[in-house]
Amino acid sequence: MFLGSRTAYTVGVILLLVLLLASVSLPSRSIAQTNPVTLAPGFEAATKLGSMFADPGNVPDFAQSAFSGPVAMAFDARGRLFVGTYPGKILILLDNDGNGRADQVKTFASGLLIPLGLEFRANGDLFITSNLLGGVGRIIRLRDTNGDDVADEVTTIIDNLPSQGDHQTNKLKFGPDGLLYISQGSSTDNGTPGPHSPPDGPLNATILRVDVDSPNPQVEVFATGLRNAFGIAFHPENNQLFATDGGSGELGDIPDNSPLEEVNWIVQGGHYGFPSCEGPPDPNNPACAGVRAPVTTFNRHLTPTSITFYSGPQAGESKNQMLVTLFKRLPGQGGGDLQRFILTGNAANGFQTTKIEPPIAEFGLIDPFDGPVDTAIDPITGDIYVARFDPVNHANVNEHHHFIYRIHRTGSDAQPFIGPPSPAAIKAGPATVTVSLVTRHVKPGAVVFDVTDNVPLSTRQGSSSFELVADLPASVVASERTIVLEVRNPDGVASNQQAFKVTKGDPGPVLDKAPQITSMFAYKKKRAKVWDQLFVGVNVKKFRLVVSGTDFDSGAELLVNNTALALESSSTTELVGRLINALVQSPGELTVQVRNSTGKTSNTLKLTVSP
C-alpha cells in the first residue's frame, strides 16, 4: 500500500483491495452526521457534504469507488489546484465564483496510475510520480503546449523505479539546486521479504535525486534508511529538506515492538536506520551507529503522510511552521490530524521542534480506514488544502470519504488577496507598463492601487475570473524605484500588498524567464467581433492577432509559423500583431509563439485556417 506502517487492516483489507480492485463493500454511513472536524481557534473550514471544497457531490471521480479519491495536490503559478487521483487522473479544480467550493472540474491528464506526487516547475511543467500495477515506478513530465488545459505532451523522465512490494514511488519536490528529489519507499515491511514483497534493492527506502535537464537523466541516492518517506518538503528560508517516515510493524502485534514514526532532516549521504534501527537511535544497538536521529516522533502506527511549511499572507506569526498530517486515528494514540511545529536551529548545529497545541485540524473518525494524505497551500491566499482518502468501498457511492478541505483564518474570506505581479520587475523607461495579478475574493469594480504614489491604476479583467490587469503609467516607471501595489474592493477593503520593482538596468533573471501564452484571438477593425479561426483566401491585412500571457519583454516578437509579425502594440502581457495574406493561402494550423529578446520562447498555440 502507498501509506506508512503496515497494520492488520492494511494486510487484511487494503492489500486485498489493491489486488482485487476494491471488491469489499461496507454499509453506507451519513457523512453529514459522521464527519466531525475540530479546528484550532482562529481557523475555520466548511466540513459538511455539499459545502466543503471538494467531495463526491461536485467531483464525480471521487464517487466512483474506493481508491478513486485524491492522493496528491499542487498549485500552479496561476493559483489553480491540480489534484492527482489514485486511478491516475490529474484534475484541475476551480472555484470560479470564489465561494470556497469547486464549481468546475477539468481533466488535465488520465491513465497515470497512482500519481502519489505532483510538483510544478517554475516554467509550468508538471512532474508526477506514477506507479504501475506491475510494480514499476515512474517520473513523468506533463506539458500543456497549446493552452487548452489538457496535457498534450507526456514524457517519462525516469522509468523502472522499484515500486513493487509494500511501498511505492511517493512524493517529489524540486530543490533550491534545481534538481528533483523523490521519496522512494521500501519493498518490505521490516527488511525481510514477505509473501507480497521482493527484497529491498539499492534504490528502496531512499531519497533519490535526478537532474531532469540532463540528456540522459540518472537517479542518484541522496539518503538511505527511510522505510517510507512519504512526504518531503524544503524549508522556504533555510532550504533544508525534511521528510516524514512511517515505521514497520503491524497494529495488534503482541507484544507490539513497532518503532515510533518520524520526521527527519535529510542531508546528503545521511542514513536514517531502516531496517535495523528505526525510531530514535538506541546507543546500545550496534546497528544504530551513524544513524541520524529524527527531529520529532509520533506514536507507532499513526502514519505521517504529508509535510509542508506554512506560507502565504495568512501565515502571519505562524510563518514557516512545519505542518504534518497523520493518516490514522487510533484510540488512545491520537492521529488523524494536521499537526504544527515550530522548527528552530540551523544546518550547522541541527534542528529542534516544538509542538503547538491544539492541532490546526483534527479529522474525526468516519471509518477506521480513512484519513488525510496530502496538504497544499494556496500561494495567493495562504489557505490550507487537505486531501482525505478512503480506501474502502461503500454500498452508496456518495459515501466514499474522498474529500478536500479548505482551511483558512477566521474572517479571511472577507479580504481580497493578490499574488506577485507578473512581471515582477522591469527596466525604467518612458513606456506604460502592464502588469497582471492573480487574485482571490476580488469583487466587481475592484481597482489596483499604486500605494506608493497613492493613485488608482487603470484596471480591467484578465483572462480568467481571478486575474486583474493594470497599467502603470510611464510617469511612475520612468526611474529606478519600488512601487507597492494592492487591490481595493468597492467597499474599500484592501488586499495584501506586493512589490513591483523598476530597475536602472535590466532586472536580470526576471527578463530571462520564458514567456507564456495564455490566450489569443483575431479581430478586424474592432475587438467587439473576434475570430477564433481564419479562412483560406480571406484578405487578412486588416486583421490583428492578439496574444495574451506573461513575461513578454520589451523586445518580444510575435511569431506565426516562425515568422515575426509587425507589432501594432506591445506590453508585458499582450502583443498585437498585423496578419499577412501569405498565412492563409492553404488550410491547416498556424503555430503561434512569443519569443523574448533573450531568445526564450513561449509555449505554442494553434490558429486554424479553415477551407
Side-chain angles (χ1 to χ4, degrees):
M1 176 52 182
F2 65 93
L3 295 174
S5 56
R6 186 165 56 97
T7 65
Y9 70 76
T10 45
V11 174
V13 177
I14 297 180
L15 183 58
L16 179 63
L17 292 174
V18 173
L19 298 175
L20 300 182
L21 299 179
S23 60
V24 175
S25 181
L26 294 183
S28 63
R29 304 176 67 190
S30 171
I31 294 176
Q33 297 176 2
T34 60
N35 185 27
V37 179
T38 303
L39 296 164
F43 290 91
E44 60 185 4
T47 61
K48 298 296 185 181
L49 188 68
S51 64
M52 66 186 76
F53 181 76
D55 58 39
N58 64 336
V59 184
D61 286 275
F62 290 2
Q64 290 178 357
S65 68
F67 286 92
S68 68
V71 291
M73 301 184 293
F75 281 92
D76 72 355
R78 295 163 59 188
R80 304 181 303 169
L81 182 62
F82 284 64
V83 177
T85 68
Y86 195 92
K89 279 190 177 181
I90 309 297
L91 306 175
I92 308 175
L93 303 187
L94 301 175
D95 174 16
N96 292 301
D97 60 11
N99 70 350
R101 181 167 171 81
D103 50 36
Q104 185 177 13
V105 180
K106 298 181 178 182
T107 299
F108 183 70
S110 58
L112 306 165
L113 287 177
I114 319 180
L116 300 181
L118 273 64
E119 171 79 343
F120 278 98
R121 205 175 187 188
N123 67 355
D125 290 347
L126 177 59
F127 284 77
I128 70 166
T129 59
S130 177
N131 294 270
L132 306 184
L133 292 180
V136 173
R138 288 176 173 172
I139 308 301
I140 295 174
R141 184 187 66 210
L142 303 176
R143 285 177 172 167
D144 172 15
T145 63
N146 60 6
D148 65 352
D149 291 338
V150 176
D152 45 40
E153 184 179 305
V154 180
T155 305
T156 298
I157 303 299
I158 298 293
D159 205 352
N160 296 312
L161 293 174
S163 294
Q164 71 275 39
D166 280 13
H167 307 108
Q168 296 164 319
T169 305
N170 298 320
K171 303 295 185 183
L172 70 176
K173 295 289 180 184
F174 278 100
D177 54 7
L179 302 179
L180 185 64
Y181 291 73
I182 307 145
S183 55
Q184 174 63 58
S186 65
S187 175
T188 68
D189 172 50
N190 59 10
T192 301
H196 302 288
S197 60
D200 284 310
L203 299 183
N204 284 111
T206 62
I207 300 291
L208 303 173
R209 185 169 71 172
V210 61
D211 178 3
V212 298
D213 293 322
S214 170
N216 184 28
Q218 300 293 318
V219 296
E220 64 171 309
V221 175
F222 186 77
T224 60
L226 295 144
R227 176 179 174 272
N228 194 32
F230 194 71
I232 59 176
F234 284 92
H235 191 282
E237 291 187 355
N238 61 41
N239 294 327
Q240 298 300 303
L241 178 61
F242 295 83
T244 65
D245 193 17
S248 60
E250 298 183 15
L251 187 65
D253 282 351
I254 301 177
D256 191 345
N257 296 317
S258 302
L260 298 178
E261 307 200 322
E262 312 170 350
V263 170
N264 289 286
W265 169 36
I266 307 299
V267 300
Q268 187 169 11
H271 180 63
Y272 295 86
F274 178 81
S276 302
C277 180
E278 294 183 83
D282 180 356
N284 298 315
N285 179 358
C288 291
V291 170
R292 299 184 67 88
V295 297
T296 195
T297 59
F298 309 99
N299 289 333
R300 55 179 64 96
H301 309 304
L302 293 185
T303 314
T305 46
S306 70
I307 180 172
T308 191
F309 291 93
Y310 200 5
S311 60
Q314 291 183 47
E317 74 283 357
S318 303
K319 182 181 179 181
N320 295 334
Q321 283 186 0
M322 184 174 73
L323 309 183
V324 180
T325 51
L326 299 177
F327 180 73
K328 299 187 184 76
R329 187 175 183 88
L330 302 177
Q333 299 292 311
D337 50 8
L338 175 63
Q339 295 194 1
R340 48 182 170 166
F341 301 84
I342 295 174
L343 186 71
T344 56
N346 53 58
N349 301 308
F351 293 94
Q352 304 79 42
T353 58
T354 302
K355 185 178 179 181
I356 306 299
E357 293 286 7
I360 289 179
E362 296 181 72
F363 302 102
L365 189 67
I366 303 177
D367 282 327
F369 309 122
D370 59 19
V373 294
D374 203 14
T375 304
I377 297 179
D378 185 335
I380 311 303
T381 64
D383 291 352
I384 304 168
Y385 289 72
V386 180
R388 184 172 191 152
F389 183 78
D390 180 6
V392 177
N393 250 342
H394 297 268
N396 181 347
V397 295
N398 291 314
E399 294 296 331
H400 290 114
H401 312 135
H402 300 312
F403 306 148
I404 297 177
Y405 305 96
R406 183 182 68 96
I407 302 170
H408 56 99
R409 296 284 189 175
T410 302
S412 63
D413 279 357
Q415 179 185 354
F417 291 94
I418 58 173
S422 180
I426 196 165
K427 182 180 178 180
T432 297
V433 174
T434 300
V435 297
S436 64
L437 297 165
V438 178
T439 67
R440 296 283 192 273
H441 311 313
V442 168
K443 298 179 180 179
V447 174
V448 179
F449 252 77
D450 169 1
V451 179
T452 305
D453 301 297
N454 195 31
V455 295
L457 301 178
S458 174
T459 305
R460 55 193 179 276
Q461 190 71 48
S463 59
S464 70
S465 60
F466 39 85
E467 181 185 13
L468 290 180
V469 177
D471 297 323
L472 285 164
S475 58
V476 305
V477 295
S479 59
E480 182 180 12
R481 64 200 300 242
T482 297
I483 300 171
V484 176
L485 302 176
E486 69 180 21
V487 166
R488 298 179 188 177
N489 277 337
D491 57 8
V493 177
S495 72
N496 58 310
Q497 296 181 340
Q498 297 284 359
F500 178 83
K501 293 186 179 296
V502 183
T503 62
K504 186 175 182 179
D506 285 344
V510 173
L511 289 183
D512 196 41
K513 292 175 64 176
Q516 292 291 313
I517 300 175
T518 56
S519 63
M520 70 175 179
F521 63 88
Y523 75 92
K524 182 181 180 181
K525 294 185 179 180
K526 294 183 179 181
R527 292 197 184 198
K529 184 177 182 180
V530 301
W531 303 60
D532 57 9
Q533 62 179 321
L534 302 175
F535 295 91
V536 172
V538 171
N539 185 351
V540 296
K541 286 186 177 182
K542 294 184 179 181
F543 280 70
R544 302 294 180 259
L545 179 64
V546 181
V547 172
S548 299
T550 58
D551 299 312
F552 304 163
D553 71 14
S554 57
E557 296 177 300
L558 177 52
L559 307 179
V560 178
N561 282 4
N562 209 34
T563 298
L565 300 185
L567 294 181
E568 190 165 89
S569 66
S570 65
S571 72
T572 57
T573 58
E574 182 183 270
L575 300 180
V576 180
R578 300 185 181 94
L579 289 167
I580 56 176
N581 288 334
L583 297 172
V584 294
Q585 297 307 302
S586 58
E589 289 187 326
L590 305 176
T591 61
V592 179
Q593 291 180 292
V594 171
R595 182 171 62 204
N596 278 346
S597 60
T598 60
K600 296 283 186 178
T601 304
S602 74
N603 56 309
T604 301
L605 297 188
K606 301 289 188 180
L607 181 62
T608 300
V609 179
S610 297

